[in-house]
Amino acid sequence: MSDFTNKGIARILKQLAVLLEINGENKYKARAYRNASRRIMDLDEDISDYVSSENLQDIDGIGEGIAETIKDTFKNGFCPPLEELKSALPSGLLELLELPGLGPSSAHQLFEELKIEDIEGLRKALKAGKIRNLKGFGARREEKLLSSVENYEKYRNVILLSDAQSQAEEILIGFQSKDDLECREIKIAGSTRRWESLIEKIDFIVVTGESGQFFELIAGMEFIDKILNQTEDKITAVSESGVEINFWIVKEEHFPGALIYHTGIEEHFNKLREIAAEKDYQLNKYGLMQDSELLAIESEEEIYGKLGLPYIIPELREDRGEIEAALSGNLPDSIGLTDIRGDLHIHSRLSDGAHAIEEMVLTAREKGYEYMAVTDHSRSLKIAHGLSLAQLKAEGKLIDELQEKYGDIKILKGIEVDILSDGRLDYEDEILSELDLVIASIHTGFRQSIEQITARITRAMQNPHVDIIAHPQGRLLGRRKSYQVDLEKIIKKAAATGTCLEINASPFRLDLDDINVREAAREGVKIVINTDAHHSDELNDMKLGVSVAQRGWLEKDDVLNTMSYKQLCDYLGSG
DNA sequence: GCCGTTTTCGGCCCGACTGTTTTCAGTCG
């Protein structure tokens, strides 16, 4: 009898669903698996308990068939029908679905008619002009797919910041269990340490005792796929998910210097080097030297200090003026996670969230938040079970009851109201006026012109009830580009109307991005950092949003949800 | 495959958009 986590089983069922779709089977069968996957993901109890007590079918969405599949998976240690499908279908078909504009049906068709098995095969067929002649395709679609393929290849080996962090974390944990003969010190550097939204490579700086043993240690880690290259001072490995991992091996006395060298972008380091030269030091990847002697230095702070600079946090080391600001004493007093007093964009089960409002309230309380806002979707977003007027009213009543029960957190009645394709909002003003907080956002009409989308958002901001524009760029990192929008205009309008712009902290979005956040704050726009949580775990994403704020040079006062509850009410009331 | 019954099979979150067609299937959110 093997053991699987809820996440593990959910992943298996989801994969099964996708493969069934590609295999051209009944789409509702596939949907049933996908549905079951979601239920298990959201389950509070362990799925293994259901298996051992033989009551899997008590779970909504799991019937005889799927219960049997799960039991078999536990029994065998693998999922028989999944393995069967995997051996029947080329594995590359799955990646075809990553392309926007290509779904399971088309993947099935491409495989059946042209024996296309992966993206490379598709690229060749597209170049050869073979696709346009297929039924349901055409010249235009061929052109779009080609651009999708090119975009995909560009991001092929890039992973989300949150994924890079969890992989890096696993590696660190792997080292913790070893004695310090093999690894005396290890720290994340590079773009992951700077909290860039997309990561190409994960860098570590390592002080080892016995480098031979260190190599074996890495090679033996279960999530390391292979070692690409090994020299005396660097090991390059590839993780199972295909991302490159560099271990820079340094001597203990070189650790702080190496950390600075491998953390900021090159231009940041070059400017530090120039400052060092002016002070008759030499700065290189080993550290700070004077008269060819390495100075005994313990930390990065000390190096910055010797150069006459305050410490510059990794998030700012992008050569966007931070050195100049440090020299003139104008570095931002960067906002931190502990400054955040509440989360103002949270979904519940009433629309498309995983949990009841009460569970989200309990999680927010655990985080020590002073306030939170329940902001489910509005009525026209049917796929997300957008709330009818009656449901919205019922939700308000429910919140009143919860507010009675939990006095130590303020629960705002909010909504994420859709900005419809024609620019109207999804509820009338009199409905919005009764709510504590109104977030407006775009979920339809992504392909409209820059003028249309900009006009939709500016019109929404002119509505006096709208407090926040959520995910203003509408991007999905590495997957979907931002819709066409004139952010300069949006920022100006936000400043003029007192509307807040959101940093959406979802690891898939991080929207606004750091550059535009900084621009908005410069123009005096108030920024709000929200998780857009659809699951209680996702309230933890706040740290990602804060990192965007830090990279955008924000200070505490630039951010709405660092305010006390009273200040927040005053602000919203006047807005 | 699951569910909810008008218990034995029909419907399955839904509507907009797109590119293909010339009335619709596939994709997306």
Side-chain angles (χ1 to χ4, degrees):
Chain A
M1 196 65 141
S2 307
D3 207 16
F4 285 92
T5 58
N6 291 15
K7 217 174 175 177
I9 292 292
R11 201 180 296 146
I12 285 171
L13 293 178
K14 195 172 166 191
Q15 224 179 350
L16 203 42
V18 175
L19 288 174
L20 286 169
E21 278 179 326
I22 299 179
N23 208 26
E25 302 206 27
N26 183 341
K27 63 176 178 171
Y28 293 109
K29 181 175 169 183
R31 185 181 290 180
Y33 278 96
R34 187 165 276 140
N35 184 32
S37 164
R38 225 200 126 136
R39 298 285 173 160
I40 292 171
M41 195 67 158
D42 297 343
L43 207 60
D44 293 324
E45 303 83 15
D46 282 344
I47 188 77
S48 54
D49 293 343
Y50 281 91
V51 175
S52 45
S53 52
E54 299 198 340
N55 58 348
L56 277 168
Q57 291 187 57
D58 289 354
I59 302 170
D60 202 23
I62 295 184
E64 208 181 326
I66 295 182
E68 215 42 52
T69 304
I70 295 173
K71 275 195 279 183
D72 282 349
T73 304
F74 269 85
K75 205 169 106 189
N76 297 308
F78 63 91
C79 177
L82 178 63
E83 296 309 315
E84 219 169 280
L85 270 173
K86 271 185 174 173
S87 58
L89 294 168
S91 59
L93 282 180
L94 278 176
E95 69 175 356
L96 281 182
L97 299 190
E98 299 291 315
L99 300 173
L102 203 158
S105 172
S106 301
H108 178 70
Q109 188 185 0
L110 291 172
F111 178 57
E112 286 293 314
E113 295 184 25
L114 292 178
K115 292 282 164 277
I116 289 172
E117 298 189 350
D118 52 24
I119 289 190
E120 184 51 29
L122 175 61
R123 200 177 61 81
K124 281 185 186 152
L126 286 164
K127 291 269 187 193
K130 286 184 186 165
I131 301 297
R132 70 179 70 185
N133 299 322
L134 292 182
K135 187 172 175 359
F137 288 78
R140 193 115 176 236
R141 214 172 153 203
E142 186 175 83
E143 192 184 316
K144 282 198 158 185
L145 280 176
L146 197 56
S147 114
S148 292
V149 167
E150 278 161 7
N151 192 54
Y152 178 82
E153 285 177 340
K154 191 170 144 201
Y155 288 112
R156 167 170 291 205
N157 293 319
V158 168
I159 59 172
L160 297 177
L161 171 64
S162 58
D163 292 336
Q165 286 177 331
S166 52
Q167 287 194 27
E169 200 57 39
E170 272 189 86
I171 288 172
L172 291 179
I173 289 169
F175 282 120
Q176 272 167 13
S177 56
K178 307 297 169 186
D179 65 54
D180 63 359
L181 265 183
E182 294 153 332
C183 179
R184 289 192 184 145
E185 199 150 11
I186 181 163
K187 202 156 182 172
I188 299 167
S191 52
T192 314
R193 187 166 180 235
R194 295 198 308 278
W195 294 67
E196 267 191 36
S197 56
L198 287 170
I199 303 292
E200 270 180 75
K201 292 173 186 164
I202 304 176
D203 292 284
F204 288 98
I205 312 296
V206 191
V207 178
T208 65
E210 307 280 337
S211 63
Q213 287 182 28
F214 180 72
F215 175 80
E216 281 164 29
L217 185 61
I218 293 174
M221 284 185 165
E222 56 178 321
F223 39 84
I224 295 290
D225 185 35
K226 58 182 174 210
I227 307 279
L228 280 187
N229 195 19
Q230 182 198 7
T231 63
E232 208 162 276
D233 54 5
K234 183 186 177 190
I235 296 174
T236 303
V238 177
S239 79
E240 273 180 343
S241 58
V243 70
E244 193 175 308
I245 306 175
N246 292 318
F247 298 92
W248 302 92
I249 300 162
V250 303
K251 293 190 175 133
E252 198 151 11
E253 59 269 31
H254 297 155
F255 191 74
L259 205 49
I260 288 194
Y261 182 77
H262 287 290
T263 295
I265 69 164
E266 200 179 341
E267 290 78 2
H268 175 90
F269 188 79
N270 288 342
K271 285 193 175 161
L272 290 180
R273 198 196 320 247
E274 283 168 24
I275 293 171
E278 285 166 18
K279 296 187 182 296
D280 285 330
Y281 292 118
Q282 300 90 48
L283 181 68
N284 58 31
K285 64 177 175 181
Y286 303 113
L288 202 56
M289 304 175 81
Q290 196 165 32
D291 302 329
S292 306
E293 289 280 325
L294 185 74
L295 300 181
I297 277 176
E298 301 273 315
S299 66
E300 287 185 310
E301 283 85 347
E302 225 181 298
I303 294 180
Y304 281 107
K306 291 265 188 211
L307 301 182
L309 300 172
Y311 179 68
I312 300 176
I313 59 171
E315 290 84 346
L316 291 174
R317 300 185 202 172
E318 296 280 350
D319 189 33
R320 293 179 187 156
E322 70 279 7
I323 305 263
E324 295 78 359
L327 281 170
S328 61
N330 289 316
L331 266 186
D333 180 10
S334 296
I335 180 178
L337 183 58
T338 50
D339 292 323
I340 300 294
R341 297 207 193 182
D343 196 329
L344 295 175
H345 187 166
I346 292 174
H347 294 273
S348 83
R349 193 179 282 159
L350 291 173
S351 63
D352 59 347
H355 301 296
I357 297 175
E358 184 161 13
E359 289 171 87
M360 301 306 268
V361 170
L362 290 173
T363 313
R365 281 171 81 234
E366 277 169 25
K367 298 193 111 20
Y369 284 154
E370 209 176 314
Y371 49 83
M372 61 177 280
V374 179
T375 54
D376 277 311
H377 289 287
S378 62
R379 60 185 166 195
S380 70
L381 203 63
K382 302 287 185 192
I383 181 108
H385 304 132
L387 269 47
S388 67
L389 291 180
Q391 287 173 311
L392 181 64
K393 205 169 168 191
E395 178 165 75
K397 260 182 115 175
L398 195 56
I399 291 174
D400 285 336
E401 287 165 26
L402 289 168
Q403 189 65 85
E404 285 274 308
K405 192 167 167 188
Y406 303 104
D408 53 358
I409 185 166
K410 298 292 181 189
I411 312 167
L412 277 69
K413 292 175 198 159
I415 193 74
E416 180 175 12
V417 64
D418 252 66
I419 302 173
L420 303 174
S421 291
D422 63 6
R424 288 179 303 120
L425 294 177
D426 200 14
Y427 293 132
E428 291 76 21
D429 281 4
E430 55 170 327
I431 305 294
L432 299 178
S433 70
E434 287 168 11
L435 295 163
D436 301 320
L437 184 84
V438 176
I439 299 177
S441 62
I442 285 188
H443 296 101
T444 53
F446 283 81
R447 294 181 189 85
Q448 288 178 352
S449 70
I450 186 166
E451 291 80 14
Q452 280 176 299
I453 292 193
T454 308
R456 282 165 74 189
I457 298 178
T458 47
R459 181 172 164 189
M461 287 194 283
Q462 274 166 338
N463 185 308
H465 304 300
V466 171
D467 302 299
I468 295 168
I469 301 293
H471 42 75
Q473 295 171 268
R475 67 174 182 176
L476 288 180
L477 285 164
R479 271 192 68 92
R480 190 181 72 206
K481 285 186 207 158
S482 171
Y483 40 56
Q484 299 281 306
V485 60
D486 185 341
L487 281 171
E488 207 176 312
K489 262 191 193 160
I490 299 295
I491 287 169
K492 290 232 152 60
K493 181 60 95 177
T497 55
T499 313
C500 298
L501 296 182
E502 181 183 72
I503 295 175
N504 190 291
S506 161
F508 304 100
R509 293 186 182 272
L510 298 180
D511 171 3
L512 287 172
D513 64 29
D514 47 9
I515 305 268
N516 284 300
V517 159
R518 190 171 174 192
E519 195 49 44
R522 266 188 191 143
E523 294 287 331
V525 174
K526 197 63 106 181
I527 302 293
V528 59
I529 310 175
N530 290 326
T531 63
D532 195 359
H534 287 71
H535 190 287
S536 58
D537 289 347
E538 290 169 7
L539 287 167
N540 291 323
D541 292 335
M542 185 60 82
K543 60 180 187 294
L544 294 168
V546 170
S547 78
V548 175
Q550 291 171 331
R551 290 173 56 84
W553 289 53
L554 296 197
E555 302 191 344
K556 185 183 167 190
D557 287 347
D558 296 318
V559 176
L560 180 73
N561 48 331
T562 63
M563 290 182 178
S564 69
Y565 177 67
K566 187 179 177 310
Q567 288 170 320
L568 178 73
C569 290
D570 289 347
Y571 188 91
L572 294 175
S574 68

